[in-house]
Amino acid sequence: MARLALLSLLLVPSVLGLALNKRAGVAFVNPTLNGGSLLDNAGSGGGEPLNVIISGLSSSDVLTDDGVLNFARAIGFSTECFGIHLGDPQSANLGDGHGSVNQTVELRQDFGDPVLGTCGESLVGGNHFRVYRQNGPLADTGALFLAVSQEEDVTQGHTISPNGYDVGRDALVTAAVGTTSFGGVTYSTTTQNITGLIAPGANGVNHGIAIDGVVKLLTVTIQ
């Protein structure tokens, strides 16, 4: 019995080590469980809702910087016009132990032209999203949290459209679900509605725009 107890004590650190050194193996961890939020920090006293999550159970290549860019191009988004970003980056706390971290990238609707199309979005408005990665020591899921919104044209100062958070989210999901491809990579994407992560209404939301409180979870599989 003493030998079994000693063996158990020796094995526990090894098992825990394996668990801590691998990805969580879940779609995502609710940021609010560890002091995070489903609203980012827009720097104006409010936040944009993180209304789409690309599941940590997606194909691992999708969850890298290059991978999410290629997937974005498959669903009609690309990098900003000539790589120029106006304004400060926004930040988010995903409750993963990293605290508040700046967006990884911002991508804009490209209207079918992944090279110059986002220049048109900068002029006439359209859909766009910011990417945040959940990969800290408290929640190393690899999931990508997206702040998606539809914005007005340059004459309106690129302000968010009325109902622009829900509209932008739904447009992105519609473009993503099913089979898409870009750059020789084919994706199969499913969606699931998640409620209870963020409250419906306009409390704390940037520009005072009300949201329906639904977060769309995408699982993206490379074929």
Side-chain angles (χ1 to χ4, degrees):
M1 185 67 68
R3 288 184 178 180
L4 286 175
L6 178 59
L7 182 59
S8 298
L9 289 173
L10 291 174
L11 287 176
V12 165
S14 298
V15 173
L16 290 176
L18 288 173
L20 292 173
N21 287 329
K22 64 187 297 187
R23 277 269 155 96
V26 296
F28 66 94
V29 172
N30 181 351
T32 65
L33 296 178
N34 293 311
S37 174
L38 268 292
L39 289 172
D40 74 4
N41 182 357
S44 57
E48 296 190 351
L50 304 176
N51 48 13
V52 174
I53 302 172
I54 299 181
S55 168
L57 301 179
S58 300
S59 295
S60 58
D61 285 351
V62 174
L63 303 175
T64 67
D65 290 354
D66 289 342
V68 71
L69 174 57
N70 198 77
F71 175 65
R73 286 173 168 160
I75 64 173
F77 294 82
S78 193
T79 52
E80 296 191 273
C81 180
F82 299 115
I84 299 172
H85 176 73
L86 300 178
D88 295 327
Q90 295 184 13
S91 61
N93 182 348
L94 300 183
D96 60 2
H98 281 326
S100 187
V101 176
N102 282 349
Q103 64 196 45
T104 299
V105 68
E106 185 171 346
L107 301 171
R108 297 185 178 277
Q109 188 173 358
D110 66 18
F111 301 100
D113 182 350
V115 178
L116 297 175
T118 58
C119 296
E121 194 275 346
S122 296
L123 294 174
V124 304
N127 212 359
H128 75 304
F129 65 92
R130 308 170 194 275
V131 179
Y132 303 92
R133 180 176 287 110
Q134 188 176 61
N135 63 351
L138 299 182
D140 187 14
T141 67
L144 302 177
F145 287 66
L146 313 183
V148 190
S149 57
Q150 179 86 10
E151 64 181 6
E152 302 287 77
D153 62 30
V154 66
T155 66
Q156 301 297 315
H158 290 148
T159 191
I160 305 301
S161 304
N163 199 30
Y165 296 119
D166 292 348
V167 168
R169 174 202 63 198
D170 291 347
L172 181 147
V173 171
T174 297
V177 168
T179 302
T180 55
S181 63
F182 187 86
V185 182
T186 299
Y187 306 94
S188 176
T189 303
T190 60
T191 185
Q192 176 184 351
N193 286 353
I194 306 293
T195 57
L197 293 178
I198 186 170
N203 187 35
V205 180
N206 201 30
H207 303 295
I209 296 173
I211 58 174
D212 61 13
V214 175
V215 175
K216 301 282 187 174
L217 178 66
L218 300 181
T219 302
V220 185
T221 306
I222 294 176
Q223 301 296 289

